[in-house]
Amino acid sequence: MQENLEQNFLNKNYTDSIKGLAMLSIVVGHVVQMLLPQNLFLYKQVLFFLCQINVIFVGCFFFFSGYGNYLSVKKIEGYKGKFLKILSKIYRIYFVFGGALILYILLYSLFHNGHSFVNISNFFYFISTITIPGLTMWYLKVQVFVYLLFMISVLCFKYSDLICFAFVVISIILAIFFKIPPLWWQTILCFPLGIFVAHHLSLFKKISNTKIKIIIALLFLFSILLFFSLNTISRIIMALSGTSLVVLISYFSSKKNSVLEFLGKNSIQLYIYHWVFISIVRFLDIHVIFKIIFVIIGISIILLFSHIKKILFRT
């Protein structure tokens, strides 16, 4: 039994499925917030629930990022290789975003009678700042930020718990200094939590079945108690406790969910492109149902294209 728990802990199928579920919830939250009329029945209650649950889901993304990056970089010898590994992740964000920005420009021109707001200079501005007009795209900015901060922490402290401490202190100071929206720096602390778990992975795999269940029960109750609070400290603790709950549940999860796994593996495309389609239809004078259909069809085409591309490159 204990051996099965160790094998299940943060297994690839589980983490991909959680990423898929998290991104699905985030997309639905943005559709509700940006496209639905605010006078709908239970609009405020639904939006509040999605915003709160997405605090935990965003925390999960940062946790998996910290966890995965620590394990992958630690395997590489030499700082040059580590540096290139982290840069490749940053490059992927810029590459996917660049394609999305080009699509946004084309769609904007199509729906505005050929008019384009973009020239060469501001195109490179949008690329360099990872910005779509009218949207901050904070998640991508913060993801690049944590990659760079992680790289600096590894260079300074190598592989010790000091990485986590340094990351926490520096990230909070910089987040406040650059006025990063509260949601991001309240959840960013899940990144060093992922580093901590990866650093002590052997210990986490040895936790007994009974202790895991007790901790899960306590974290669940704790997260529920904090769920209805909008206090900054409460949301930081909720992000950490909720993410920890999701992580520990992986001990007992060995089932596969192909749809969620697929969404999880394409989460970066799903995040970036759903903003493109929402931004395009947001101010169009059409019924909200058609706006949602447009977003769904657009996302489906992007995901299908991504799937076909992976099949072709695999073969």
Side-chain angles (χ1 to χ4, degrees):
M1 178 64 180
Q2 186 64 31
E3 185 179 343
N4 290 335
L5 290 177
E6 292 179 15
Q7 292 176 350
N8 287 341
F9 183 63
L10 289 177
N11 63 82
K12 182 65 173 171
N13 294 334
Y14 180 80
T15 55
D16 282 340
S17 295
I18 291 298
K19 286 180 183 178
L21 179 62
M23 192 50 67
L24 197 58
S25 177
I26 290 168
V27 170
V28 171
H30 289 157
V31 168
V32 170
Q33 183 180 15
M34 306 295 282
L35 298 183
L36 295 188
Q38 296 182 12
N39 59 355
L40 281 179
F41 179 64
L42 294 179
Y43 173 86
K44 290 183 179 179
Q45 291 82 351
V46 171
L47 184 60
F48 174 81
F49 173 81
L50 288 170
C51 286
Q52 292 296 86
I53 200 72
N54 286 343
V55 169
I56 296 175
F57 280 144
V58 171
C60 289
F61 271 106
F62 283 126
F63 175 91
F64 293 141
S65 185
Y67 177 84
N69 276 290
Y70 182 90
L71 292 180
S72 62
V73 169
K74 191 176 181 180
K75 295 176 183 177
I76 302 172
E77 294 189 10
Y79 285 115
K80 181 180 178 181
K82 300 177 193 295
F83 181 75
L84 291 175
K85 179 71 174 178
I86 297 173
L87 279 185
S88 70
K89 294 178 180 294
I90 296 175
Y91 167 77
R92 182 169 180 260
I93 291 176
Y94 276 99
F95 181 79
V96 176
F97 177 76
L101 181 60
I102 291 171
L103 177 62
Y104 176 84
I105 293 168
L106 293 174
L107 290 175
Y108 185 92
S109 178
L110 177 65
F111 285 100
H112 292 81
N113 299 320
H115 173 70
S116 177
F117 58 89
V118 175
N119 54 43
I120 294 178
S121 61
N122 61 16
F123 175 80
F124 284 105
Y125 167 78
F126 291 135
I127 285 286
S128 61
T129 58
I130 321 179
T131 303
I132 286 178
L135 300 170
T136 58
M137 307 295 284
W138 272 111
Y139 174 72
L140 299 181
K141 291 181 173 70
V142 175
Q143 193 65 264
V144 172
F145 166 73
V146 295
Y147 283 149
L148 294 173
L149 187 53
F150 172 65
M151 183 168 59
I152 294 169
S153 300
V154 169
L155 290 174
C156 294
F157 301 102
K158 295 185 179 180
Y159 299 101
S160 69
D161 288 328
L162 284 174
I163 290 180
C164 301
F165 178 76
F167 193 98
V168 169
V169 173
I170 297 173
S171 61
I172 291 177
I173 292 173
L174 291 179
I176 294 173
F177 179 79
F178 287 110
K179 298 180 180 180
I180 295 176
L183 173 63
W184 300 119
W185 68 264
Q186 288 168 9
T187 54
I188 201 176
L189 299 183
C190 293
F191 190 95
L193 178 63
I195 295 173
F196 179 81
V197 172
H199 183 61
H200 297 283
L201 187 56
S202 59
L203 293 177
F204 278 92
K205 287 190 173 184
K206 293 178 181 178
I207 302 176
S208 67
N209 185 7
T210 304
K211 288 181 179 178
I212 294 169
K213 290 180 178 178
I214 292 173
I215 296 172
I216 285 176
L218 291 173
L219 286 172
F220 178 75
L221 291 173
F222 200 54
S223 299
I224 291 295
L225 289 172
L226 294 171
F227 191 82
F228 298 97
S229 174
L230 294 175
N231 179 273
T232 297
I233 301 299
S234 297
R235 295 187 81 178
I236 291 174
I237 298 172
M238 184 182 74
L240 292 169
S241 62
T243 298
S244 300
L245 174 65
V246 172
V247 168
L248 290 177
I249 290 174
S250 70
Y251 278 110
F252 305 99
S253 176
S254 57
K255 295 181 180 179
K256 297 185 64 175
N257 187 306
S258 300
V259 175
L260 290 181
E261 280 185 46
F262 173 73
L263 294 177
K265 290 175 180 176
N266 293 279
S267 58
I268 187 69
Q269 291 92 333
L270 185 54
Y271 177 81
I272 293 174
Y273 280 96
H274 92 277
W275 271 129
V276 170
F277 299 119
I278 286 177
S279 183
I280 288 295
V281 302
R282 185 181 177 189
F283 298 110
L284 291 182
D285 188 22
I286 57 176
H287 195 276
V288 65
I289 296 296
F290 294 113
K291 293 182 180 181
I292 294 173
I293 290 173
F294 181 90
V295 172
I296 292 173
I297 292 175
I299 290 173
S300 300
I301 292 172
I302 294 299
L303 292 177
L304 178 62
F305 176 77
S306 178
H307 182 60
I308 293 173
K309 185 177 70 173
K310 286 180 180 178
I311 292 175
L312 292 175
F313 277 100
R314 189 186 305 161
T315 54

